[in-house]
């Protein structure tokens, strides 16, 4: 009999720390606990006796895990708590839970739409949308919840436009997406509601697919429906599963980067002034936002064979959870990692993951962030928090549920609006 030695144990933060519990992440302890873990045991067995897993909190072992899909597979799920049946249904057919030949076939089917060139046509419409929304928010003069009013609508506008979803369906689909990926409640009834939301999303895209097959347009669903990949067309199930994957990738991450950026600038006003004084820093600012906010809280893998990771011996079948926000604060890689610096360089963050599953939507996410910042530079002089932000209850979606701020108008806005707000 093989005896598995699962040490060191994750002890950072004390015995009340439960990284599998979504509610733990509504507080602000995670980064401190993760910092202690990086120093004491960067790869550690977590939650022993409660469906345990390995936690990777340091940059270098995390990169090793992400770059070795043969040893650390995504095909058995890539997030903690994802259900066995739903992963089994999607494995090998949905990009993010596929490896090897399946992944290589599905990736080009997505990549065409997300290349910088493919996105160029979208940019001006996106700029107008963001600009219009920001002017409205700034013009209101009082506190606004920028999660609901800016961070959620902007990525929805982009993705639904790219997918050819009719305008009248956006609210319904956005609601189903939020319900389908809301993992705050781990009770079976809540899991059943999530499954029901995904079933409704699948049904929606089966209908849209049928329409696009009959009358193809210039949109992602039509492209997936009418092209050959790896010598054969995608099946209807593959198309619908990957539409669901795009909603997850596009609507559950970018909002957290946008609202997280606004909070970071509210708390570091000198960095906002710095960026306004030198817009040439926009590119480094976007990368710093991605590092500092790190929207996905983790990426999970399962070991396909025994492996060594730092001081830990991983057994076949063990789950390995890479805590991305922690890796992005690793002091061995990022000097003064807790500082938010718009001119940070180099900045090889893991905000988009690494290896073959590196975010396929990265260029789109960068474009969205850049558009929001550019618009804000022209419209917003200062950002003030007016209430304690509410964090999302999730170990996967690392970000805010609500953020109330006042956006002080920049001079150009004041002039165009015909007078100062106060
Ligand atoms: C700030 C915004 C975003 C962040 C921080 C982010 C982060 C990530 C990360 C960390 C992964 C790797 C997951 C893993 O290794 O298991 C990933 C994969 C993925 N992302 Fe993003 N993402 C963002 C925006 C988007 C957008 C806008 C889309 C598309 C609309 C998208 C679609 C995807 C897809 C389909 C994958 C799977 C790629 C693969 O498995 O090959 N993401 N993303």
């Amino acid at each position: 009999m093989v005896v598995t030695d699962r040490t060191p144990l994750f002890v950072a933060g004390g015995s009340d720390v439960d990284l599998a519990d979504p509610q733990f992440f509504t507080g602000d302890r995670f980064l401190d606990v993760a910092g202690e873990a990086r120093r004491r045991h960067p790869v550690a067995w977590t939650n022993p006796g409660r469906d345990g897993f390995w936690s990777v909190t340091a940059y270098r072992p995390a990169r090793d895990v992400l770059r070795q899909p043969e040893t650390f597979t995504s095909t058995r799920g890539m997030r903690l708590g994802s259900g066995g049946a739903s992963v089994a249904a999607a494995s090998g057919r949905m990009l993010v839970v596929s490896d090897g030949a399946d992944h290589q076939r599905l990736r080009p089917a997505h990549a065409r739409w997300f290349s910088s060139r493919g996105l160029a046509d979208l940019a001006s419409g996106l700029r107008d949308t963001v600009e219009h929304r920001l002017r409205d928010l700034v013009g209101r003069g009082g506190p606004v919840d920028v999660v609901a009013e800016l961070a959620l609508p902007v990525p929805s506008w982009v993705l639904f436009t790219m997918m050819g979803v009719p305008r009248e369906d956006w609210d319904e689909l956005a609601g189903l997406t939020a319900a389908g990926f809301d993992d705050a409640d781990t009770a079976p009834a809540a899991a059943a509601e999530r499954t029901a939301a995904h079933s409704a999303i699948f049904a929606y895209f089966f209908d849209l697919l049928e329409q696009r097959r009959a009358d193809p347009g210039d949109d992602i669903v039509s492209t997936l429906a009418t092209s050959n990949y790896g010598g054969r067309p995608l099946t209807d199930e593959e198309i619908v599963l990957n539409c669901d994957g795009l909603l997850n990738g596009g609507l559950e991450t970018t909002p957290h980067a946008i609202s997280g950026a606004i909070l970071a600038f509210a708390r570091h006003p000198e960095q906002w002034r710095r960026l306004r004084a030198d817009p040439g820093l926009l590119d480094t600012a976007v990368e710093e936002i991605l590092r500092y906010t790190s929207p996905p809280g983790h990426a999970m893998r399962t070991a396909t064979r025994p492996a060594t990771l730092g001081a830990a011996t991983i057994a076949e079948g063990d789950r390995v959870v890479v805590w991305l926000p922690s890796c992005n604060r690793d002091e061995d890689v990022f000097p003064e990692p807790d500082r938010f610096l718009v001119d940070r360089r180099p900045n090889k963050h893991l905000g988009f993951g690494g290896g073959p599953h590196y975010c396929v939507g990265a260029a789109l996410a960068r474009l969205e962030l850049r558009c929001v910042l550019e618009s804000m530079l022209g419209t917003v002089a200062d950002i003030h928090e007016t209430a304690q932000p509410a964090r999302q209850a999730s170990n996967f979606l690392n970000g805010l549920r609500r953020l109330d701020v006042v956006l002080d108008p920049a001079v150009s806005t004041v002039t165009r609006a015909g007078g100062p707000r106060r």
Side-chain angles (χ1 to χ4, degrees):
M1 190 179 102
V2 181
V3 179
T4 310
D5 172 26
R6 291 196 172 99
T7 56
L9 289 181
F10 192 104
V11 293
S15 55
D16 65 322
V17 171
D18 180 356
L19 297 180
D21 178 5
Q23 298 302 328
F24 175 74
F25 294 81
T26 55
D28 53 11
R29 285 179 67 199
F30 173 71
L31 284 175
D32 286 341
V33 169
E36 187 189 333
R38 283 195 305 276
R39 288 185 290 279
R40 295 179 73 173
H41 45 58
V43 182
W45 184 248
T46 311
N47 291 5
R50 285 180 287 160
D51 203 14
F53 52 88
W54 293 100
S55 279
V56 182
T57 46
Y59 185 96
R60 291 194 175 90
R63 208 180 42 185
D64 290 347
V65 170
L66 297 175
R67 285 181 175 177
Q68 297 179 61
E70 304 82 12
T71 307
F72 300 106
T73 184
S74 300
T75 57
R76 294 184 224 165
M78 54 69 67
R79 61 198 276 180
L80 274 171
S82 48
S86 57
V87 171
S91 181
R93 304 200 288 172
M94 184 196 264
L95 185 65
V96 79
V97 286
S98 300
D99 278 330
D102 293 327
H103 186 260
Q104 281 158 25
R105 198 170 67 85
L106 293 167
R107 181 98 184 180
H110 291 73
R112 191 202 121 182
W113 274 90
F114 295 105
S115 67
S116 308
R117 203 146 27 99
L119 295 170
D121 291 347
L122 202 77
S124 74
L126 174 60
R127 281 204 179 90
D128 288 351
T129 303
V130 173
E131 187 93 18
H132 188 263
R133 224 161 228 282
L134 265 169
R135 287 197 183 284
D136 172 40
L137 296 184
V138 172
R140 288 195 210 166
V144 286
D145 171 12
V146 284
V147 172
E149 306 259 17
L150 181 73
L152 287 169
V154 169
S156 302
W157 181 90
V158 181
L159 191 61
F160 291 152
T161 302
M162 292 174 81
M163 296 180 92
V165 173
R167 177 68 189 88
E168 61 271 22
D169 298 340
W170 289 10
D171 288 346
E172 183 197 346
L173 210 48
L176 287 171
T177 306
F181 294 103
D182 177 359
D183 50 2
D185 190 345
T186 52
E193 279 175 30
R194 283 193 290 276
T195 306
H198 283 290
S199 301
I201 293 172
F202 295 153
Y204 181 86
F205 279 107
F206 273 120
D207 277 353
L208 191 63
L209 179 57
E210 205 173 297
Q211 292 169 32
R212 292 294 178 268
R213 278 204 206 288
D215 183 16
D218 186 21
D219 56 71
I220 296 179
V221 177
S222 298
T223 304
L224 295 177
T226 54
S227 309
N228 272 344
Y229 298 100
R232 67 163 173 88
L234 299 185
T235 64
D236 287 4
E237 284 72 23
E238 283 172 335
I239 294 171
V240 165
L241 280 166
N242 284 292
C243 288
D244 188 57
L246 284 174
L247 296 187
N248 179 18
L251 303 189
E252 299 296 309
T253 49
T254 324
H256 291 313
I258 294 172
S259 52
I262 293 174
L263 180 62
F265 282 120
R267 291 186 174 176
H268 302 84
E270 79 294 347
Q271 295 299 312
W272 183 239
R273 284 194 288 273
R274 177 99 212 272
L275 188 60
R276 290 197 77 213
D278 183 1
L281 295 174
L282 270 169
D283 284 343
T284 51
V286 165
E287 297 313 309
E288 180 67 343
I289 288 166
L290 291 162
R291 181 193 75 87
Y292 195 79
T293 65
S294 278
H298 70 259
M300 191 184 83
R301 303 290 188 259
T302 303
T304 58
R305 52 194 176 212
T308 303
L309 204 57
T313 305
I314 316 283
E316 182 182 341
D318 281 356
R319 293 178 302 162
V320 180
V321 177
V322 170
W323 296 99
L324 297 165
S326 173
C327 305
N328 282 336
R329 301 283 179 117
D330 188 333
E331 34 289 280
D332 288 345
V333 178
F334 305 99
E336 301 188 278
D338 292 327
R339 293 188 67 196
F340 175 66
L341 301 169
V342 290
D343 60 352
R344 185 181 288 278
R345 193 194 284 261
N347 191 350
K348 289 194 170 302
H349 61 79
L350 295 179
F352 288 128
H357 290 281
Y358 183 85
C359 178
V360 78
L364 172 58
R366 287 187 168 111
L367 176 68
E368 291 181 53
L369 281 169
R370 202 183 159 94
C371 284
V372 169
L373 289 185
E374 276 172 353
S375 290
M376 283 180 65
L377 289 180
T379 45
V380 177
D382 286 303
I383 307 159
H384 309 279
E385 276 177 87
T386 57
Q388 185 63 26
R391 290 190 51 77
Q392 186 144 348
S394 173
N395 55 24
F396 185 70
L397 304 171
N398 174 39
L400 304 174
R401 196 164 42 78
R402 184 178 179 111
L403 173 61
D404 293 311
V405 294
V406 167
L407 304 169
D408 283 349
V411 174
S412 59
T413 313
V414 172
T415 310
R416 274 190 229 172
R421 185 172 57 84
R422 48 188 99 68

